[in-house]
C-alpha cells in the first residue's frame, strides 16, 4: 500500500487530524457540556504534548534519518505497527485516561521510537545525531513523570524539551531552505551561516530549559529566559525572513520560529512578574511554536518526498495563518476579563487550521510518488 511506503504518509496527516479533533473535544469538556472524565485538563495537556508531537516527530525522524544515514527507511510492516501503537494510545487515553493499561500503551511509543532512531544512527555511525535519540528518550521520561509521578514537573519537562527540539529543528531547516531559494534567484544577501550567535542562542535555550525544569518559574529562570529571548530574536533576524515573504512555505518557517523568542520572553515575564501566567507560556510553545513549526516541516517533507513541487498555495497560506491566529488568541486570552470566549475562538481557528492541513495532506499521502 502506498500509504505504508513512508512514515510521513501516515503520521503527518493523522497527527493533524488528531490535533484538529482533540482541541474541540477539550473545549466541549471545558464548557461543561460533557462530564465523563475525572480531570479533562490533564487529558488535554497530555494529548497535545505527548499525543500530537510524538506523531509529528516520528514521521519527521523516520523520513529524515534515511537521508542522514544512507540506510533504507522503515518497512511497511514496521510503519503500520508504530502507527497502530500510537493510535491505540490515543483511543485508550480518551476512553480510560486513568487506566494502567492506557498508560502502558501510550508510554511505550516514545521509547520504541528512540530505540529505532538510535539503531539506525549507531549502525551508520552518525554520532552527530545521537542527541536526537537521547531527546526522544527524555521526552518519554517526561511523559512517564507526568502520568505516574508529578504532573506539573512532567509538563514543565515536556515543554522544556519540546522548546529545545524546536530551536534545533527550526534552526536547521529555516535558514538552509531560505538560503537555497534565494541563491536560485541570484540573491547575494543570504541568511547568515551557522556561527557564534547560533551557538549562544542554542546554549542559552538549553540552559533556560534546564533551569525551568529544576527551579520552575524562578528568578534565575526568568533571567536566563530574557537573555535567551533576545539571542533567539537576533538569530532569527539574521535569516532574511522578509526576503522570502512571497513564498508561503518559506516565510511560514520564519513565522513559526518567531514563537520561540516570544515563548522565552513570556517565560521571563511569568518568572519575574505577575503579568503572564504559566499557561500562556505553555500555549505559546505548544499552540504557537510546536503547532506552526511541525506543520510547515510536515508539509514541506510531504511535498518533497512525494515528488511534488515544494511551493505554497493560497490554501496553504490560509490554514498556516489560522494556526498563528488561534495560538495568538489563546495566549492573549488570559489578559482579558472573560478569557473563555478567546479560548473558544482560538481553539476554533487552530483546529480548523489542522483539519485544513489534513485535507491537503491526506490525498498526497495515499497517492503514488509523482
Amino acid at each position: 500500500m502506498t500509504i505504508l511506503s513512508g512514515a510521513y504518509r501516515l503520521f503527518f496527516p493523522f497527527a493533524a487530524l488528531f490535533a484538529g479533533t482533540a482541541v474541540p473535544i477539550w473545549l466541549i469538556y471545558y464548557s461543561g457540556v460533557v462530564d465523563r472524565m475525572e480531570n479533562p485538563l490533564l487529558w488535554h495537556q497530555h494529548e497535545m504534548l505527548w499525543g500530537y508531537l510524538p506523531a509529528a516527530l516520528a514521521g519527521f525522524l523516520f523520513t529524515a534519518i534515511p537521508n542522514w544515514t544512507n540506510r533504507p527507511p522503515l518497512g511497511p510492516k514496521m510503519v503500520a505497527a508504530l502507527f497502530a501503537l500510537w493510535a491505540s494510545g490515543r483511543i485508550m487515553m480518551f476512553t480510560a485516561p486513568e487506566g494502567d493499561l492506557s498508560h502502558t500503551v501510550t508510554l511505550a511509543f516514545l521509547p520504541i521510537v528512540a530505540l529505532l532512531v538510535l539503531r539506525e544512527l549507531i549502525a551508520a555511525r552518525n554520532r552527530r545525531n545521537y542527541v536526537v535519540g537521547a531527546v526522544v528518550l527524555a521526552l518519554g521520561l517526561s511523559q512517564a513523570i507526568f502520568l505516574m509521578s508529578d504532573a506539573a514537573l512532567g509538563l514543565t519537562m515536556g515543554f522544556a524539551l519540546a522548546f529545545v527540539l524546536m530551536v534545533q529543528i527550526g534552526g536547521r531547516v529555516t535558514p538552509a531552505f531560505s538560503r537555497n531559494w534565494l541563491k536560485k534567484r541570484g540573491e547575494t544577501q543570504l541568511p547568515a551561516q551557522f556561527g557564534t550567535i547560533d551557538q549562544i542562542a542554542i546554549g542559552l535555550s538549553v540552559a533556560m530549559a534546564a533551569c525551568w525544569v529544576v527551579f520552575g518559574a524562578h528568578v534565575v529562570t526568568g533571567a536566563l529566559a530574557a537573555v535567551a529571548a533576545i539571542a533567539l530574536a537576533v538569530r532569527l533576524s539574521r535569516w532574511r525572513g522578509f526576503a522570502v515573504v512571497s513564498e508561503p512555505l518559506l516565510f511560514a518557517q520564519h513565522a513559526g520560529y518567531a514563537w520561540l523568542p516570544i515563548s522565552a520572553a513570556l517565560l521571563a515575564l511569568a518568572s519575574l512578574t505577575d503579568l503572564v501566567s504559566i499557561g500562556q507560556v505553555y500555549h505559546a510553545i505548544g499552540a504557537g511554536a510546536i503547532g506552526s513549526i511541525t506543520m510547515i516541516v510536515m508539509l514541506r517533507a510531504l511535498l518533497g518526498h512525494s515528488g511534488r513541487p515544494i511551493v505554497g498555495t493560497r490554501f496553504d497560506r490560509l490554514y498556516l495563518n489560522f494556526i498563528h491566529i488561534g495560538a495568538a488568541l489563546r495566549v492573549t486570552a488570559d489578559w482579558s476579563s472573560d478569557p473563555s470566549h478567546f479560548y473558544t475562538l482560538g481553539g476554533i481557528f487552530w483546529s480548523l487550521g489542522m483539519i485544513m492541513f489534513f485535507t491537503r495532506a491526506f490525498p498526497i499521502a495515499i497517492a503514488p510518488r509523482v
Side-chain angles (χ1 to χ4, degrees):
M1 292 179 65
T2 301
I3 200 168
L4 296 178
S5 63
Y8 67 94
R9 292 181 179 271
L10 260 179
F11 280 105
F12 286 172
F14 284 100
L17 179 63
F18 167 73
T21 54
V23 169
I25 290 172
W26 154 242
L27 290 174
I28 291 171
Y29 276 102
Y30 176 77
S31 67
V33 174
V34 178
D35 185 19
R36 59 167 294 275
M37 284 187 191
E38 183 178 337
N39 196 332
L41 176 60
L42 289 182
W43 173 82
H44 170 64
Q45 292 170 335
H46 179 271
E47 290 303 283
M48 297 315 297
L49 185 55
W50 293 287
Y52 168 72
L53 179 58
L57 194 58
F60 169 74
L61 290 175
F62 294 123
T63 302
I65 284 175
N67 294 331
W68 298 350
T69 62
N70 291 319
R71 287 175 56 80
L74 294 181
K77 291 182 180 179
M78 182 60 74
V79 170
L82 270 178
F83 181 78
L85 177 62
W86 173 79
S88 298
R90 307 291 61 77
I91 294 169
M92 296 178 74
M93 285 300 294
F94 179 71
T95 56
E98 306 294 331
D100 291 340
L101 181 59
S102 300
H103 291 182
T104 301
V105 171
T106 194
L107 284 170
F109 183 74
L110 280 168
I112 290 173
V113 169
L115 291 175
L116 289 172
V117 166
L118 288 171
R119 181 193 69 176
E120 297 300 304
L121 295 175
I122 291 170
R125 297 182 180 179
N126 190 303
R127 295 182 179 86
R128 176 191 175 192
N129 289 305
Y130 284 0
V131 66
V132 175
V135 171
V136 176
L137 276 175
L139 191 60
L141 175 61
S142 70
Q143 182 186 20
I145 292 171
F146 179 88
L147 289 174
M148 303 173 67
S149 177
D150 186 332
L153 176 60
L155 195 65
T156 299
M157 184 177 176
F159 274 111
L161 286 165
F163 183 90
V164 173
L165 264 177
M166 296 303 108
V167 168
Q168 290 281 55
I169 294 173
R172 281 191 183 188
V173 300
T174 303
F177 292 154
S178 297
R179 187 179 300 113
N180 294 339
W181 189 82
L182 290 169
K183 274 184 179 180
K184 288 180 180 179
R185 279 145 187 81
E187 291 279 351
T188 55
Q189 291 184 318
L190 302 175
Q193 296 284 352
F194 187 89
T196 304
I197 291 177
D198 302 273
Q199 293 173 332
I200 291 172
I202 293 170
L204 285 169
S205 298
V206 172
M208 180 204 81
C211 192
W212 189 18
V213 172
V214 174
F215 299 112
H218 187 271
V219 62
V220 179
T221 306
L224 278 171
V227 181
I230 295 170
L232 288 167
V234 171
R235 186 188 195 200
L236 177 62
S237 71
R238 300 168 72 243
W239 293 341
R240 300 214 60 217
F242 291 108
V244 299
V245 71
S246 61
E247 173 44 61
L249 301 194
L250 285 175
F251 185 68
Q253 293 181 307
H254 296 262
Y257 202 88
W259 278 104
L260 295 171
I262 291 171
S263 301
L266 289 172
L267 178 57
L269 289 171
S271 301
L272 301 173
T273 72
D274 296 326
L275 299 175
V276 171
S277 69
I278 201 66
Q280 290 173 283
V281 179
Y282 290 154
H283 284 91
I285 298 173
I290 296 174
S292 59
I293 292 174
T294 54
M295 178 175 283
I296 190 58
V297 169
M298 289 191 295
L299 179 58
R300 290 187 63 94
L302 190 67
L303 292 172
H305 286 274
S306 64
R308 289 164 175 79
I310 307 177
V311 178
T313 65
R314 290 183 179 180
F315 186 65
D316 295 327
R317 194 186 295 272
L318 182 62
Y319 64 73
L320 286 164
N321 283 335
F322 279 4
I323 294 296
H324 291 291
I325 293 169
L329 285 169
R330 178 55 187 87
V331 170
T332 57
D334 290 350
W335 289 324
S336 69
S337 57
D338 184 7
S340 58
H341 297 300
F342 288 89
Y343 293 165
T344 302
L345 192 59
I348 289 171
F349 270 105
W350 198 87
S351 300
L352 187 58
M354 284 289 175
I355 297 297
M356 291 169 70
F357 172 77
F358 172 79
T359 65
R360 170 86 152 106
F362 187 67
I364 299 172
I366 61 176
R369 178 181 171 84
V370 175

